Amino acid sequence: RKEVEQDPGPFNVPEGATVAFNCTYSNSASQSFFWYRQDCRKEPKLLMSVYSSGNEDGRFTAQLNRASQYISLLIRDSKLSDSATYLCAVNVDTGKLIFGQGTTLQVKP
Amino acid sequence: DVKVTQSSRYLVKRTGEKVFLECVQDMDHENMFWYRQDPGLGLRLIYFSYDVKMKEKGDIPEGYSVSREKKERFSLILESASTNQTSMYLCASRSLAGGLNTGELFFGEGSRLTVL
């Protein structure tokens, strides 16, 4: 089983839609969690950290479920500019940051 | 702004050649990482370094080595390049200032290596 798994998609949604991605992790000792965004032919950049209590940044909401070992990202009112690959990342206890394979989102007009 | 600079954006090498990929960061970050990214496989960790002269294997270290003689520089070495090492290589750095394992990774623009 991979340490961090995501559904690669692609997710094709119309503008204004709400879309959710999940990411599961296998190491119960994982300490911190993140969502990164990667545009085509660009490097990944941090979108948001994921806190135990859940956190929201504008149209984006991230949640952590430790019992079931998954994190989620919800995007409301999708924009064309949200089209990208979304990568979840998990810090394991040794300091390694492990990424999922990424989920591709395509928002269509 | 944090700047992570990878020495070469595109390289073409022949099988068996020794390849050096250089990465320099300008923010005095303790941690540095090397990943490779392949379609359908995402980012896979090759090696990381907690600090100067320290290194840890990631998930796919075979065929690679690293060097961190100075804090700002983390080099990835392919001793004898093979065609299955054709990939996009991404370097990243992270500060420990916010606490262990909590900091944001800052990536370089990547080095696309083709091994013929």
Side-chain angles (χ1 to χ4, degrees):
Chain A
R1 184 184 171 187
K2 289 182 182 176
E3 286 189 86
V4 181
E5 289 197 76
Q6 293 180 254
D7 179 349
F11 284 61
N12 294 300
V13 303
E15 271 186 292
T18 295
V19 62
F21 310 133
N22 281 341
C23 169
T24 58
Y25 61 94
S26 60
N27 188 336
S28 59
S30 298
Q31 298 174 339
S32 49
F33 309 88
F34 307 88
W35 284 102
Y36 281 75
R37 170 188 169 133
Q38 186 174 26
D39 293 307
C40 190
R41 295 191 179 88
K42 296 283 190 179
E43 71 274 21
K45 292 185 178 178
L46 182 67
L47 177 66
M48 56 198 307
S49 302
V50 186
Y51 303 121
S52 296
S53 55
N55 47 304
E56 190 172 309
D57 183 3
R59 299 182 292 109
F60 298 82
T61 300
Q63 298 214 311
L64 167 64
N65 185 318
R66 282 195 185 272
S68 300
Q69 292 185 205
Y70 75 85
I71 62 174
S72 64
L73 178 69
L74 181 79
I75 305 175
R76 290 180 297 278
D77 188 23
S78 299
K79 311 289 185 194
L80 295 175
S81 57
D82 293 335
S83 297
T85 296
Y86 292 85
L87 299 150
C88 65
V90 176
N91 258 317
V92 297
D93 52 3
T94 57
K96 295 193 299 185
L97 187 66
I98 305 298
F99 284 84
Q101 66 188 111
T103 298
T104 299
L105 172 66
Q106 187 69 41
V107 181
K108 303 209 178 279
Chain B
D1 281 352
V2 174
K3 184 76 174 171
V4 179
T5 304
Q6 294 184 229
S7 55
S8 305
R9 291 295 304 277
Y10 301 95
L11 300 96
V12 180
K13 298 291 181 180
R14 297 208 173 271
T15 301
E17 279 193 79
K18 191 169 185 175
V19 181
F20 291 88
L21 299 179
E22 304 284 346
C23 175
V24 177
Q25 50 95 3
D26 66 357
M27 284 300 290
D28 202 36
H29 285 174
E30 292 82 4
N31 293 172
M32 295 188 76
F33 301 77
W34 274 107
Y35 293 88
R36 64 177 281 179
Q37 186 171 30
D38 301 287
L41 297 176
L43 275 82
R44 292 181 291 166
L45 182 63
I46 306 171
Y47 268 96
F48 71 109
S49 170
Y50 286 112
D51 211 327
V52 180
K53 297 190 186 294
M54 300 174 75
K55 60 185 179 184
E56 290 283 335
K57 292 180 180 179
D59 295 327
I60 52 164
E62 297 79 17
Y64 304 94
S65 62
V66 290
S67 173
R68 185 118 182 251
E69 294 298 315
K70 293 185 177 182
K71 193 172 187 178
E72 67 271 19
R73 186 179 298 270
F74 192 35
S75 304
L76 180 69
I77 303 149
L78 288 67
E79 292 290 341
S80 178
S82 63
T83 54
N84 63 13
Q85 292 178 310
T86 291
S87 188
M88 171 67 83
Y89 289 87
L90 288 161
C91 174
S93 71
R94 176 176 70 185
S95 171
L96 293 179
L100 189 65
N101 301 334
T102 61
E104 173 183 357
L105 248 62
F106 293 89
F107 285 87
E109 292 182 312
S111 298
R112 181 163 292 283
L113 172 65
T114 301
V115 183
L116 302 175

